[in-house]
Amino acid sequence: MSGTFVGMPAFPKAAHDAVNNPTLRGNLRHATQTIRGKREKAVAELSDWTALREAGKQIKDHALRHLDRYLVQLEESVTAAGGTVHWASDADEANRIVAGLVKETGESEVLKVKSMATQEIGLNEALAAEGIAAYETDLAELIVQLGEDRPSHILVPAIHRNRGEIRDIFAREMSEWGRPAPEGLADTSAELAEAARLHLREKFLRAKVGVSGANFMVAETGTLVVVESEGNGRMCLTLPETLISVVGIEKVVPSWRDLEVFLQTLPRSSTAERMNPYTSTWTGTTDEDGPKTFHLVLLDNGRTDTLADEVGRQALRCIRCSACLNVCPVYERAGGHAYGSVYPGPIGAILSPQLRGTQSEIDASLPYASSLCGACYEVCPVAIDIPEVLVHLRERVVEGGPVTREGTKVVLRPAKGHAAERTAMRAARWALGRPGVLRTGQRLASRTRRLHPRTLPGPGKAWSGTRDLPALPDEPFRDWWQRVHGGEGDEK
Amino acid sequence: MSSRERILGRVRRALADVPQDDTPYEDAIARGYLQEHDARSPEQAADLLAENLADYRAIVHRCTADDLAATIAGLLSARGARTVLVPPGLDLGWLAATGAEQLPDHADTTPHELDRIDSVVTGCAVAVAETGTIVLDGGPEQGRRRITLVPDHHICVVRVPDQVVSSIPQALSCLNPALPLTWISGPSATSDIELDRVEGVHGPRMFEVVLVTGMPDAGAVA
C-alpha cells in the first residue's frame, strides 16, 4: 500500500488537532449520529439479520480460504465474457498498467467512479504524472478533489465539510476544472447537487475512458458489481468506450447467489437504505451496450500479506460499508484524517497497518486508536472482530515477531517508542514469577508511599498527564491476609 | 515470474495453515436466512412495491392494460415532454395516445443527442417489493443501459403481478448474470452533503413507475 498520506503525524497528534476543531467535530457528530439512528431502523426491518450476517461472514471466509482457486476461476469467466485480466502486485504496478491502458486509447482524461482501491494506490496522482487528468465524479469525491483535500470517510468522503464550506469550494474552484458554478450559488444541498450535475455532465457526455473499482466480483460468472446512489457510476460504467476496473483480490465471491446476502446487508449497513438507488452489474462486454473494451486489474498491494496473518486476515472480509466508522466514539471525535490512510475508523485501524506494515509511526499508532468498546464488531455486517485484531496488532507493535511482507516471512523488531512499556512488562513478568521478590517490592512500595510523585517522569509522563496514578495501600494485600487470616490459608 | 504467478504463489503460501476442505460450495455456507421476509399474495407484493418505491421518491401510478396508453400520454404531457425515446421492442400501443415525437434507440446515437431527449419509456425485467427496486436487463422493452440514464425523465412500466417478486433472493434467481443489469430504487440521489438526501444528481431526476394490471405475461419472471 502506497503512502498516500505522506508525512502524516501519528494518530495521537493528528487526533489532538481534530478534537480541537469545533467545526469539524460538529460536522462529524451531526453526520455520524444521523446515520447511526437510520441504520438501526433499516437493519431492524430484516428479522433474519443475524443469519444474513453469519452467511456473509462464511461466504467471504470461504472465498479467502480458497482465494487462489476463485481468482483463477474469475479470470477465466471474465476472459470468456470478452474482458482482459491484469494482475498487479503493488500500487506502482497497478498504476503503470492503468496509465498504459489509458495511453493505448490515445486519450488524456479519464472519468472515475468513487473507488477505495484507486485511492489506496494513489492512481490520480500517478496518472497526473503521466499527463492524464482523472476526474472524480462522486459528489463527495468532487468536493474533496476541488478542495485539494483528503477523504475522511469511506462512504461519504467529504463528511467533514458542511454546506457553507462546500459552497465556497464550488464557487472558487469549479471554473478551474470545467464549467463554473452558477452565479450566486446558495448553500442548500439541492443547489449544490445541481451545480455538480451541470459541472460533470459535460464531462460524462464526452468521456472515452472510465475507471472504476467494484464492490463484488463473482468468480462463477465473471460479473462485476458496483453499488452507488448518484448515477455517476452508471455514467462512467456505460458511456465510455473503454472501462478499466481496479479491484482488490479480496472482493471475489464464489457464486451469483452470494449477492443475495450482500445486496441486503451492504445498503442497510452503509447508507441505511433498503436498497441504494443504483446497482450496476456487468459481465465482460455486451454488443452495442456499454464499453467495447473492458480491463480488470486485480490488485494485491499487501492483501496476500494480510491473508498470511491467521488473526488479521478477517479484515479482508470487509465490504467497505463504513458502519464501524459511524458508531466509533474515537472516529466521531478524531475525524477520518487522523488515521493517515484512505481507510479511516476502526476498519482502517486494522487494515492500514496490515496492508502497509507497522514500521511507520502512524501505522504503529493505529492499533491504539481505539477504546476497544466493541461497537464496531456489533455493527459489522460480516462480523469482523475488530477489537480482537486491534489487540493482536498492538502485541505485534510492542513485541515484534514473525510477519509476511511482500510475500516473504520476516521477523519484526519491536517498534520504537514502546521500549519503556516492554521493559516494565518484562520486569513485571520476572517479579510475578518470584514470590519473594514480589513481596519485598510490595513492602518497599508501601513504606515509601508518601514519597511517590503525582505524575510519572520520562516516557510515563504522557500517560499520567490524563490519569491519576493509583494510590498504594499502606500494607500489601498479602501481608494483610497473613495478619488477619494468618494460619488459615498458609502462604505457599 | 509474472505478477499473476507471484500473487497466486503468495496466496497459496499465506493459506498454508488452512486445512484442506473439499466440501462442495453449495454445502459449505449456512444459508439460514429467509428467502422472503413475509408470505405475500401477488396483490400484497404489488402494494408493498408501490409503498417502498414511493418511500424513496419514485412516483407510482396504477392502471389497467386498457388505460396504459392514456396514462403514459398523461405523464408525458404533464412533464411537457416533446420527444420520447423508445426501446426497440416496446409495444408501440403503449405510446398510441401521446403526441410526443417518438425516437428509436440507435447504437450510434451519441450521448449528446440522448441528452437532448426529454423522456424515455421502458418495461422492466423484474421488480422487488421488499426494497422497492426495479431491475432492467437490457431486454427488447428496456434497451441499452444509457437510455434510462441520460434523459431526465424515466417512465417504467411493471406488469402486475407477473413481474413482481417479494425479495432480493427471488429476484437474483430469475435474472441472467450474463446480461448487463441495472437495479433502480428511486431516482438518482445523494447524501454526500451533511447526509441530507437530495434527489437527482446524475441519473434521471424524475422516476415514474406505472404498475399495470391485466397485461399478457411477457414471460420475464419464472
Side-chain angles (χ1 to χ4, degrees), chain A residues 300-316 350-357 389 396 404-405, chain B residues 14:
Chain A
D300 178 347
N301 205 35
R303 286 160 176 75
T304 50
D305 292 341
T306 308
L307 189 65
D309 188 305
E310 290 172 36
V311 178
R313 66 168 58 127
Q314 59 183 306
L316 297 176
I350 62 168
L351 203 50
S352 306
Q354 294 202 85
L355 293 175
R356 302 193 293 211
V389 183
R396 174 186 297 173
T404 303
R405 297 308 313 157

Side-chain angles (χ1 to χ4, degrees), chain A residues 241-307:
Chain A
E241 290 165 7
T242 301
L243 172 61
I244 304 166
S245 300
V246 182
V247 189
I249 52 176
E250 83 284 13
K251 293 289 180 85
V252 69
V253 295
S255 77
W256 174 250
R257 189 186 171 191
D258 296 331
L259 296 177
E260 71 188 17
V261 174
F262 301 113
L263 289 182
Q264 294 191 78
T265 52
L266 177 56
R268 289 178 200 257
S269 297
S270 57
T271 52
E273 292 166 306
R274 287 182 198 104
M275 195 72 182
N276 48 290
Y278 296 129
T279 298
S280 298
T281 77
W282 71 99
T283 305
T285 55
T286 304
D287 287 342
E288 299 192 334
D289 184 358
K292 294 182 177 64
T293 311
F294 169 57
H295 293 279
L296 172 60
V297 181
L298 293 173
L299 178 71
D300 178 347
N301 205 35
R303 286 160 176 75
T304 50
D305 292 341
T306 308
L307 189 65

Side-chain angles (χ1 to χ4, degrees), chain A residues 30-88:
Chain A
H30 168 71
T32 54
Q33 290 185 355
T34 304
I35 195 138
R36 227 181 284 169
K38 283 188 183 166
R39 181 199 156 273
E40 267 171 38
K41 253 195 253 168
V43 167
E45 278 188 12
L46 299 187
S47 56
D48 57 341
W49 184 259
T50 313
L52 283 166
R53 184 179 188 236
E54 179 60 25
K57 172 188 184 221
Q58 289 188 17
I59 291 166
K60 292 292 276 192
D61 267 351
H62 178 92
L64 290 168
R65 279 156 184 263
H66 301 85
L67 190 57
D68 50 341
R69 190 215 302 173
Y70 287 120
L71 287 174
V72 170
Q73 189 188 8
L74 174 76
E75 179 182 49
E76 286 167 6
S77 313
V78 170
T79 309
T84 308
V85 176
H86 310 259
W87 300 70

Side-chain angles (χ1 to χ4, degrees), chain A residues 63-185:
Chain A
L64 290 168
R65 279 156 184 263
H66 301 85
L67 190 57
D68 50 341
R69 190 215 302 173
Y70 287 120
L71 287 174
V72 170
Q73 189 188 8
L74 174 76
E75 179 182 49
E76 286 167 6
S77 313
V78 170
T79 309
T84 308
V85 176
H86 310 259
W87 300 70
S89 299
D90 57 23
D92 287 344
E93 188 175 13
N95 288 332
R96 262 200 318 277
I97 292 169
V98 177
L101 292 170
V102 177
K103 282 183 179 169
E104 270 175 38
T105 67
E107 295 295 318
S108 59
E109 63 177 40
V110 301
L111 285 197
K112 287 191 64 208
V113 191
K114 175 177 168 335
S115 134
M116 299 307 296
T118 59
Q119 271 181 19
E120 175 191 318
I121 62 175
L123 179 66
N124 293 7
E125 295 76 11
L127 290 178
E130 299 281 336
I132 299 163
Y135 298 114
E136 294 292 347
T137 63
D138 173 78
L139 177 53
E141 291 289 355
L142 177 73
I143 295 165
V144 169
Q145 189 172 44
L146 292 177
E148 293 184 11
D149 196 356
R150 294 190 315 261
S152 69
H153 191 283
I154 289 174
L155 177 76
V156 273
I159 199 169
H160 56 291
R161 297 286 200 185
N162 63 30
R163 287 178 289 128
E165 294 174 286
I166 295 166
R167 192 262 323 273
D168 294 345
I169 292 170
F170 278 10
R172 196 174 64 232
E173 301 293 338
M174 270 186 172
S175 59
E176 295 289 313
W177 292 74
R179 180 171 175 152
E183 285 288 317
L185 180 64

Side-chain angles (χ1 to χ4, degrees), chain B residues 11-29:
Chain B
V11 169
R12 287 173 190 135
R13 284 197 301 282
L15 295 169
D17 67 295
V18 175
Q20 195 70 30
D21 177 12
D22 295 324
T23 313
Y25 187 59
E26 309 84 75
D27 307 328
I29 308 297

Side-chain angles (χ1 to χ4, degrees), chain A residues 31 48 58 75 93 140 163 189 194 197 201 230 234 258 260 273-274 277 279 281 283 288-289 313, chain B residues 3-4 17 25 30-31 33-34 37 55 115 144-145 177 183 185 188 192 194 197 201-202 205:
Chain A
D48 57 341
Q58 289 188 17
E75 179 182 49
E93 188 175 13
R163 287 178 289 128
S189 301
E194 178 68 15
R197 177 187 178 95
R201 184 150 284 228
E230 295 171 11
R234 292 180 64 194
D258 296 331
E260 71 188 17
E273 292 166 306
R274 287 182 198 104
T279 298
T281 77
T283 305
E288 299 192 334
D289 184 358
R313 66 168 58 127
Chain B
S3 290
R4 179 183 189 277
D17 67 295
Y25 187 59
R31 296 184 191 266
Y33 50 86
L34 302 171
H37 286 87
D55 195 29
D115 194 33
R144 296 171 182 82
R145 282 172 276 179
W183 301 55
S185 310
S188 159
D192 279 345
E194 298 187 10
R197 189 179 162 102
V201 195
H202 304 301
R205 277 179 287 199

